[in-house]
Amino acid sequence: MAEAVRFHFDVDGDNFASAGEASVQVKKLLRQLALSPEVIRKVSIAMYEGEINMVIHANGGTADVTVEEDRITIVLSDSGPGIADIDQAMQAGYSTAPENVRSLGFGAGMGLPNMKRNTDQMQIESTVGVGTTVTMVVLI
Amino acid sequence: MSNFKHSVSLIAEKCKGCTNCLKRCPTEAIRIRDGHSVIDEDRCIDCGQCIRVCPYQAKRASSDRFEKFADYKYKIALPAPALYGQFERLEDIDYIISGLYECGFDEVVEVARAAELVSDYTRKYLLREGIKKPVISSACPVVTRLISMRFPFLSDHLLPILPPIELAAKLAREEALALHPELSDQDICVLFISPCPAKVSYVRNPIGVERSAVDGVLSISDVYFKLVSVMNHLDRLDHYAKTGIIGISWAGSGGEASALLNDKYLAADGIDDVIKVLEEIENENLSDLAFVELNACHGGCVGGTLNIENPFIAKARLTNLRRYLPVSMNTSPRESGTFIPEEYFWNKPIDYTPVARLSEDRGKAMEIMARIQQVNDEFPQIDCGACGSPTCRALAEDIVLGNSTDSQCIFILKEKYKELKKETEGVHDGSTTEDQAGS
């Protein structure tokens, strides 16, 4: 059995223009691993949404992607404000994004629902004032 | 080895082995080996970027020579609309068309005519239910090849209608056979006059059809010099041009998209931005758009490397040239409604041909990837290209795949040199003391 392959990315919170870069990098790497296009797309979309969330709400964070025999695990970690009510945040259309971000076409409240839709497992751990960690699994 | 027949190649004796093309190739298809550049045919998309950036003109696009087709009874020229932007103080496209007849062509069919038809049918296609949006233009062969290599989910977003070059060739043949019943299909040769190497490759490796109706591709730059000399001595000027504003505008970025009379479009040009837009579409971020026009060259087809003129100047000339023309002179029959003839569609699916895979076996690919990560960690990540690979990461890949060695990295070499120097200095110091002791 092949050993897990790990990728680590720092998601820069100050640079909105480069938000989404890590997911593009991951897509490039996953293409090399002979994964099915469907799996690559799911990971890419879920990670893109998560990455944008970290930039909008948490001034950036880290993204860790682990590829194993049967799954890809994405862990997005930030030290942002945390999510007070996770169930509410998961509702489609619910958003706390500031106006300047919405004016760029982001903050439609579809980020977390999209992440859930594109992954097989998703878990959010969050403490208000401390930060949030989202763990997503896409089965291969 | 791929079966893809490329048009971009290297003139080895002119190549100095510098890093200009290496660093700018959008698919990392170039390496510098033994002092000159080498193109990986599996990865090359014939975008012409290396031709554009080479300071020594060591990259070329191999197009066909007109003389090669001398034996055909009936020769048809298909001038790309970009050709119209190459001439100084040109007032009328008829000079170009007359000039082409003068050069030895029996017929001239403007690709801009077919482009206007494609625009018309695209408008109808966009009305269809159940099509994947945004629809992506299939006119630039660099874009279609890139999609077939890297974006499998986007192949059914591609406009499945024949691109203007192919439709023009098809119409040209049909018209010639109708007009000259004495001719058979083998007597006719259709020659496209191209602004870019990618169209040369397209004809050799068509997408969406089994075989292209184009027989050969001449470069605008070759035809230009023949044309200028005859255009100055034309004894008559007939009214040939059958193109409106839309057809001519296809030569520049945004022309195809604006012809759709639909505000929900995006037009991007330049290969790097094209790739970014494709990534965005794949991530479903542009689902509210109806149409996306993508041109690998900056400025659109006027930016192709087989042109003579600077793309901005060419575009300005085209704007001037189309000023008093009608919007379009080629439309589908009005009574046909939203109908699109079956023969105008692609008849062959696009194959996904991934080139980036480290191995077809995933377990093996993961092992290779893990080794690449390890090797890459040793490198300075400054992507200088001195090793002959475009980035440190690419060098790591090349080493693990057996195509390079770490001794190619001058930074590692420098470190080794320093260590060696320290050691030899130490030895040298020691020997000096002994010498002194012995004397």
Side-chain angles (χ1 to χ4, degrees), chain B residues 10 12 14-18 31-38 388:
Chain B
L10 178 84
K14 283 192 179 182
C15 177
K16 301 260 190 280
C18 72
R31 297 291 183 274
I32 310 294
R33 296 281 179 260
D34 302 324
H36 62 76
S37 142
V38 178

Side-chain angles (χ1 to χ4, degrees), chain B residues 335-412:
Chain B
E335 65 279 5
S336 66
T338 55
F339 175 74
I340 307 171
E342 202 48 44
E343 52 173 348
Y344 286 13
F345 278 103
W346 279 349
N347 53 33
K348 194 176 154 238
I350 293 183
D351 302 322
Y352 175 43
T353 48
V355 292
R357 294 180 171 180
L358 294 169
S359 163
E360 289 306 309
D361 176 79
R362 186 153 37 83
K364 213 172 260 172
M366 283 169 67
E367 278 171 31
I368 298 172
M369 176 74 83
R371 290 218 302 277
I372 292 171
Q373 305 269 86
Q374 260 174 14
V375 174
N376 187 34
D377 285 344
E378 303 294 315
F379 294 140
Q381 305 306 321
I382 59 163
D383 299 340
C384 68
C387 59
S389 302
T391 61
C392 291
R393 169 99 201 171
L395 175 61
E397 285 176 23
D398 290 345
I399 291 170
V400 173
L401 297 173
N403 301 322
S404 190
T405 60
D406 69 347
S407 63
Q408 295 293 327
C409 177
I410 57 166
F411 281 80
I412 290 188

Side-chain angles (χ1 to χ4, degrees), chain B residues 58-131:
Chain B
K59 289 277 173 40
R60 79 173 145 210
S62 53
S63 51
D64 297 313
R65 315 288 310 173
F66 183 58
E67 295 70 30
K68 186 177 144 190
F69 303 94
D71 292 343
Y72 283 90
K73 277 189 193 153
Y74 197 80
K75 295 182 266 300
I76 309 175
L78 300 186
L83 177 69
Y84 306 161
Q86 309 300 313
F87 303 90
E88 219 181 326
R89 290 188 297 276
L90 180 76
E91 294 291 329
D92 197 326
I93 297 167
D94 285 331
Y95 283 98
I96 297 175
I97 299 176
S98 305
L100 286 169
Y101 282 115
E102 205 61 31
C103 287
F105 286 101
D106 301 287
E107 186 57 273
V108 180
V109 174
E110 296 174 86
V111 175
R113 270 178 62 195
E116 292 193 338
L117 276 177
V118 172
S119 290
D120 194 31
Y121 284 119
T122 307
R123 272 177 242 131
K124 295 177 180 187
Y125 180 74
L126 288 175
L127 298 173
R128 292 196 170 182
E129 298 276 337
I131 55 165

Side-chain angles (χ1 to χ4, degrees), chain A residues 2-7 21 23-24 27-38 41 44-45 48-49 67-70 117-118 140, chain B residues 28 43 150-153 276 278-280 282-285 352 356-367 369-370 372-373 393 397:
Chain A
E3 218 177 299
V5 182
R6 291 167 218 282
F7 309 111
E21 294 264 307
S23 71
V24 169
K27 191 150 66 168
K28 215 172 151 186
L29 293 163
L30 295 184
R31 277 193 202 115
Q32 294 187 305
L33 290 181
L35 289 157
S36 81
E38 186 59 42
R41 181 161 75 158
S44 169
I45 293 177
Y48 174 86
E49 295 286 5
V67 185
E68 289 165 282
E69 200 74 3
D70 63 336
R117 191 165 55 84
N118 281 290
I140 299 174
Chain B
E28 295 191 349
R43 288 178 178 231
R150 227 194 254 186
F151 299 95
F153 282 98
K276 277 185 194 155
L278 290 172
E279 299 281 6
E280 291 284 327
E282 197 173 55
N283 277 359
E284 300 176 344
N285 293 328
Y352 175 43
R357 294 180 171 180
L358 294 169
S359 163
E360 289 306 309
D361 176 79
R362 186 153 37 83
K364 213 172 260 172
M366 283 169 67
E367 278 171 31
M369 176 74 83
I372 292 171
Q373 305 269 86
R393 169 99 201 171
E397 285 176 23

Side-chain angles (χ1 to χ4, degrees), chain B residues 129-303:
Chain B
E129 298 276 337
I131 55 165
K132 286 263 179 71
K133 286 195 182 164
V135 169
I136 302 171
S137 162
S138 50
C140 177
V142 174
V143 174
T144 50
R145 176 151 160 83
L146 196 60
I147 286 175
S148 77
M149 281 166 42
R150 227 194 254 186
F151 299 95
F153 282 98
L154 302 186
S155 54
D156 51 7
H157 283 253
L158 280 169
L159 179 70
I161 294 174
L162 298 179
I165 175 178
E166 199 56 48
L167 185 58
K170 178 179 155 58
L171 296 176
R173 267 178 194 283
E174 287 170 4
E175 284 170 12
L177 289 170
L179 206 64
H180 303 280
E182 75 281 8
L183 291 175
S184 75
D185 207 37
Q186 293 91 296
D187 296 330
I188 302 172
C189 81
V190 180
L191 301 177
F192 178 69
I193 302 173
S194 178
C196 72
K199 290 273 182 8
V200 181
S201 305
Y202 163 80
V203 169
R204 297 172 188 169
N205 322 268
I207 214 161
V209 290
E210 205 57 58
R211 192 178 166 273
S212 174
V214 180
D215 299 294
V217 181
L218 314 177
S219 75
I220 284 187
S221 48
D222 282 348
V223 173
Y224 174 86
F225 292 103
K226 284 201 186 84
L227 264 178
V228 203
S229 58
V230 299
M231 277 165 68
N232 290 332
H233 306 99
L234 288 173
D235 41 6
R236 67 195 185 104
L237 187 69
D238 283 329
H239 184 65
Y240 296 117
K242 296 189 188 75
T243 307
I245 292 175
I246 286 180
I248 292 178
S249 304
W250 267 71
S253 175
E256 179 189 4
S258 60
L260 300 175
L261 316 172
N262 180 329
D263 288 337
K264 290 187 174 168
Y265 75 79
L266 169 161
D269 53 324
I271 187 68
D272 294 330
D273 283 329
V274 161
I275 293 173
K276 277 185 194 155
V277 170
L278 290 172
E279 299 281 6
E280 291 284 327
I281 301 173
E282 197 173 55
N283 277 359
E284 300 176 344
N285 293 328
L286 297 171
S287 319
D288 51 342
L289 291 176
F291 190 80
V292 172
E293 175 190 330
L294 300 171
N295 287 292
C297 296
H298 275 297
C301 296
V302 287

